[in-house]
Amino acid sequence: MTHLAETLTFSGRKVVAAWASLPFPARPGCLLPDALCAHPQAVPWKLLSPCRARKVSGCFAQSVVLRGVCKERKPPASPLHACGSTEEALQRYLHTLFPGALSTSHVLEQPCHTQPPYPQFFSPLLTRQGFLLDKPPRYPSAAVESIPVLAALQSAPVLRTLLRGLYQELQRLNTRRWASFFSAGVEQGDFQEALEELRTLSQAYETGCEADESEDEADSD
């Protein structure tokens, strides 16, 4: 994980955000292009890292892995369907939603198994293979045995809010009340230096919009 994060961070960045879709929203027998075409404007996964979601989406670099989705072929109905493989379809989808970003993607046939002791917290709209149904089955279905999953790591502007918020919280601390902390060997100067490095790190995730907001926050401080 450390090496993967390092490959996604550059230009002074050191942190990545985690995203996941569990299960990935696909219907029984659905091909990957069908599932992706259902989400043309926004990615079908949720942010797992404790960052406040931003209106402006985008990322600098990302690594995406999808598993458990059918790889069968059918006549092309869209540019995604015309791709030669599911890997190519996912890659084109990522380039469409994140133009200019460094994106790597992998598609695996093996789903994520959810047999006991995996908790059964799934919706009744899921089949035993974790695919979505249009309506709940007439009779209760068996436990979900596997699910398609998409996971992603992103170096993205959304991390700026997390790092900036952490910096502001630490800046408000009255270090004089933490004598035991500094008696453990941490110098006040080292603490201030680390605090400034955290602020610089948060600025590395700024885009034009975030830079303007940063100046407004500085004025309000």
Side-chain angles (χ1 to χ4, degrees), residues 44-159:
W45 56 80
K46 300 296 184 181
L47 181 64
L48 301 183
S49 299
C51 308
R52 180 165 51 90
R54 304 196 58 79
K55 295 180 181 179
V56 180
S57 62
C59 72
F60 307 110
Q62 62 183 340
S63 177
V64 180
V65 177
L66 174 65
R67 56 186 300 180
V69 175
C70 182
K71 287 191 173 186
E72 295 179 0
R73 300 292 308 278
K74 69 178 183 179
S78 71
L80 289 179
H81 290 85
C83 293
S85 64
T86 51
E87 289 84 356
E88 183 182 344
L90 179 57
Q91 190 72 12
R92 176 176 291 189
Y93 178 75
L94 295 174
H95 280 303
T96 300
L97 290 187
F98 303 98
L102 171 63
S103 297
T104 64
S105 59
H106 302 278
V107 178
L108 308 175
E109 292 188 22
Q110 188 72 18
C112 178
H113 294 289
T114 57
Q115 297 171 343
Y118 199 96
Q120 290 294 314
F121 48 61
F122 301 107
S123 165
L125 289 175
L126 290 186
T127 68
R128 293 175 61 182
Q129 290 73 39
F131 293 102
L132 292 174
L133 298 172
D134 292 327
K135 58 182 180 180
R138 185 173 182 180
Y139 301 101
S141 59
V144 177
E145 298 179 352
S146 65
I147 54 174
V149 176
L150 184 145
L153 290 178
Q154 281 189 346
S155 173
V158 68
L159 287 160

Side-chain angles (χ1 to χ4, degrees), residues 13 17-18 23-24 39-40 44 69 98 120 125 136 144 160 178 186 197:
R13 306 181 187 103
F24 180 73
H39 304 273
V69 175
F98 303 98
Q120 290 294 314
L125 289 175
V144 177
R160 181 253 178 192
W178 301 89
V186 179
E197 289 178 353

